[in-house]
Amino acid sequence: MNDLKLPLKFRLLHWGVAFIIILNLFILEEGKQIHRYLGYACVAFVFIRLLISKGRKVSHYNEKAKYVYWLMWTAIGGLGITGFLMGLDRFFGNQLLEDIHEIISNSLIVLIVAHLGGVFIDAYKNKRKTWLLMFTGEKFK
């Protein structure tokens, strides 16, 4: 029985962020122009996501999941800020800033694993198909 419909705009933003993160973490070379521009686009997607969901009641996840989401969004913002600063002449080659960027990046990987683990645990333990939301826009119990 369908009990929730997730609008397409949220799903597109989710997969846009996911695709960019996969590219920037595992495929594209660090520091290259495309890596930076996609990073900025990712920050923009998160910002848009937060803007359009302001005041919207979200009922498709458990209470604990929201902390992982907020930490992921914060990490993406932190990557955007540190990445931008590393591109400035004043901070170019600054090892501390590069280390902070790398720590945030590694933290984001941990958060993504926690996010995916939560999805799998929810599906197995609670026999729910919440994960279908990001593909079809509908959740079935």
Side-chain angles (χ1 to χ4, degrees), residues 108-119:
L108 182 59
I109 293 170
V110 171
L111 291 166
I112 291 167
V113 169
H115 170 58
L116 294 174
V119 169

Side-chain angles (χ1 to χ4, degrees), residues 12-82:
L12 290 175
L13 289 168
H14 175 272
W15 289 113
V17 167
F19 184 67
I20 291 170
I21 288 172
I22 290 167
L23 287 174
N24 274 359
L25 283 175
F26 304 112
I27 298 170
L28 299 175
E29 190 175 338
E30 299 170 3
K32 294 294 184 188
Q33 190 174 33
I34 187 71
H35 178 93
R36 289 194 317 265
Y37 287 161
L38 284 175
Y40 301 148
C42 191
V43 171
F45 286 177
V46 169
F47 184 72
I48 292 166
R49 167 67 166 85
L50 294 174
L51 277 179
I52 64 176
S53 53
K54 194 171 183 165
R56 183 177 188 266
K57 174 79 172 119
V58 180
S59 63
H60 63 275
Y61 56 73
N62 71 40
E63 276 299 305
K64 295 174 196 147
K66 72 179 175 186
Y67 299 112
V68 173
Y69 299 156
W70 279 103
L71 287 171
M72 284 193 296
W73 295 331
T74 302
I76 291 166
L79 288 170
I81 292 168
T82 56

